[in-house]
Amino acid sequence: MCVNHKGKILVVDDDRLVLATLTHGLSQAGYEVIDADNGDDAILLAHEHKPELALLDIRMEGKTGFDVAAYLREYCQIPFMFLSAFADEATVAQVKELGAVTYLVKPLDIQQIVPAVESAFANRRKNAAQAEAQATETTTQAKTSAASSSADPLAQTVALAVGIVMHRHSLGRGQALDRLRKQAQQEGRSIDAWCERLLDAQEVLSGLGPLN
């Protein structure tokens, strides 16, 4: 039987009772939960299961919640939030420096934690949607620009050459372009090469000044 979860969460706490309570409560709220009671296991589980959010206790034996958070941010790009009984100035400063989604001070019940988790997932989806939209817009603009540049025969040197022919022979834009194309065909050149040749000749003539 396939169960649709709201998201996948890694929960890390060295207090087994707290860990069991969080795991059960978040599972009941519709989340897929992976749990660990130490920092080393947390990092291994993050690599294996790729959760979308991590809930980290701070003070643990071995690797602390701060150690795990730094690793998740640097190597896994997994957002995290802290659950801790400590709220001193140094702790709060490090929480901010690491870029936690939020910081909840224990004791907590699951009714307090679930809304914070739901908010974190909502922001994650919003940011992902915005990033995707921006990437799509950038790609579309690049393709449009490339297509315009390749499809428009009047781009760059050709446009300058057309302008010269229009001025000298009192021709319209389309007529000037047709004339350049015919001359290029007669010479066995591409229109770009022919236009470059025309511009080079124009520079030489401009350097000579009036001929009469």
Side-chain angles (χ1 to χ4, degrees), residues 15-129:
D15 185 321
R16 295 295 183 89
L17 179 59
V18 172
L19 187 63
T21 301
L22 290 174
T23 299
H24 176 73
L26 289 168
S27 296
Q28 290 295 309
Y31 293 95
E32 179 182 354
V33 182
I34 307 150
D35 58 41
D37 61 5
N38 64 82
D40 291 306
D41 286 349
I43 288 173
L44 291 174
L45 289 171
H47 274 291
E48 181 179 354
H49 295 280
K50 297 178 174 56
E52 298 162 85
L53 178 69
L55 274 62
L56 308 174
D57 184 28
I58 293 178
R59 305 290 175 88
M60 297 185 293
E61 291 293 329
K63 283 186 172 61
T64 68
F66 288 149
D67 296 328
V68 176
Y71 193 91
L72 295 181
R73 182 186 65 178
E74 184 71 22
Y75 298 101
C76 306
Q77 290 75 53
I78 296 172
F80 49 86
M81 54 195 297
F82 290 113
L83 309 175
S84 177
F86 300 91
D88 56 277
E89 186 176 337
T91 299
V92 173
Q94 193 161 2
V95 166
K96 291 180 179 179
E97 183 180 349
L98 285 166
V101 172
T102 191
Y103 176 52
L104 302 176
V105 181
K106 297 176 182 178
L108 294 160
D109 57 39
I110 197 66
Q111 285 75 25
Q112 293 172 288
I113 295 173
V114 169
V117 169
E118 290 178 344
S119 177
F121 271 91
N123 287 333
R124 178 182 174 87
R125 287 191 294 268
K126 179 181 177 182
N127 293 337

Side-chain angles (χ1 to χ4, degrees), residues 135-149:
T136 300
E137 182 180 358
T138 300
T139 302
T140 301
Q141 289 176 346
K143 288 181 178 179
T144 301
S145 177
S148 176
S149 177

